[in-house]
Amino acid sequence: MSTHVQKPGWITVHVLNRAVAWLTRRGISVWGSRVLAVRGRKSGAWRTTPVNLMTVDGQQYLVAPRGHVQWTHNMRAAGGGELHLGKKVEAFTATEVADDDKVPLLRAYLKRWKAEVGVFFNGVGPDSPDEDLRRVAPDHPVFHITVTN
């Protein structure tokens, strides 16, 4: 498994993520934003972070553009969590998508959010050949989300 991680900068952590999370907690989705809540794999405490919920062919997915970050490790351990949009809370289970199955999902994700996250994909974009998307797939965890409530 890849250990690829791109840590966010100060502006992302202290300004952008906080602003998106603030709006999302008030029920305003910014291009599909949700606040992900997942139990910490060591502490068991709820951890939250803003994420982009993607729908492809009626199925929902979370993509980790920055790689194998804390929420992805916690998701693997917990097997699910909650997605918050305002007062609406959706509990879900998560299944990690195999690298070979990520190509159309990464392409869809980049079509929607390339301006926001494209820099984390090393020059690979929505119009890149399948082999380029396959090359970066191990660096970007993708989870299939099944709402349980």
Side-chain angles (χ1 to χ4, degrees):
M1 176 191 304
S2 171
T3 58
H4 173 79
V5 173
Q6 288 188 307
K7 295 194 184 252
W10 188 91
I11 290 176
T12 299
V13 171
H14 296 285
V15 179
L16 298 176
N17 281 357
R18 285 184 183 181
V20 170
W22 186 87
L23 289 168
T24 304
R25 280 194 293 274
R26 278 144 189 85
I28 301 167
S29 177
V30 181
W31 281 53
S33 66
R34 299 292 188 276
V35 173
L36 169 67
V38 64
R39 294 240 182 226
R41 63 193 178 282
K42 295 177 186 173
S43 70
W46 285 102
R47 305 293 184 196
T48 61
T49 191
V51 293
N52 293 321
L53 181 63
M54 177 177 70
T55 302
V56 175
D57 296 331
Q59 302 294 308
Q60 294 182 315
Y61 299 90
L62 292 176
V63 176
R66 292 179 177 275
H68 298 270
V69 293
Q70 294 302 315
W71 74 259
T72 65
H73 298 296
N74 291 338
M75 182 81 75
R76 287 183 190 108
E82 297 176 344
L83 291 170
H84 297 247
L85 177 60
K87 293 181 181 182
K88 182 180 177 183
V89 177
E90 293 182 317
F92 68 87
T93 58
T95 306
E96 193 159 3
V97 176
D99 289 342
D100 290 341
D101 299 326
K102 290 180 188 176
V103 169
L105 301 172
L106 292 176
R107 188 178 306 286
Y109 188 79
L110 287 165
K111 277 185 183 175
R112 172 103 178 169
W113 289 289
K114 183 181 181 204
E116 183 181 335
V117 301
V119 67
F120 307 123
F121 286 82
N122 298 321
V124 175
D127 300 321
S128 294
D130 286 357
E131 52 270 13
D132 288 349
L133 287 158
R134 263 190 223 95
R135 179 176 44 79
V136 300
D139 294 338
H140 302 284
V142 177
F143 294 90
H144 176 252
I145 302 301
T146 303
V147 175
T148 59
N149 63 340

